[in-house]
Amino acid sequence: ANMHDGALNIVTLKKSGAKTLDDLADKKVSIGPKGSGSAAVASDFLKVIGLYDKIKISNLSFDDSASALRDGHIDAFII
């Protein structure tokens, strides 16, 4: 059974220098709160593309991710 169809969005700012997925290597990326469906999907996606072990993962809420991105504490977040 299909449980959920939806887009995976990666949000960053121009100043991060990230223009491609590979550019996220060595960056700080929030994938959503621990235990959330968003964090599970983002983790699976990052593992499939080989980036999971190459980024610094944070588990911030979506509001906190947006604030942390704005304030320069993370380089990107996945929603």
Side-chain angles (χ1 to χ4, degrees):
N2 187 12
M3 297 293 289
H4 175 73
D5 283 328
L8 186 67
N9 296 288
I10 300 170
V11 181
T12 190
L13 299 175
K14 188 175 183 177
K15 68 182 178 180
S16 77
K19 294 182 180 181
T20 69
L21 291 172
D22 288 334
D23 293 339
L24 294 176
D26 299 321
K27 302 281 188 196
K28 298 175 196 165
V29 180
S30 178
I31 63 170
K34 279 189 180 188
S36 69
S38 296
V41 170
S43 293
D44 288 347
F45 173 75
L46 292 168
K47 288 174 185 173
V48 167
I49 65 169
L51 276 178
Y52 186 83
D53 294 325
K54 296 178 182 176
I55 63 173
K56 299 169 188 118
I57 293 176
S58 296
N59 290 100
L60 303 173
S61 70
F62 301 126
D63 286 341
D64 289 342
S65 292
S67 295
L69 180 65
R70 179 195 65 220
D71 296 341
H73 300 295
I74 61 172
D75 300 296
F77 67 94
I78 299 175
I79 185 169

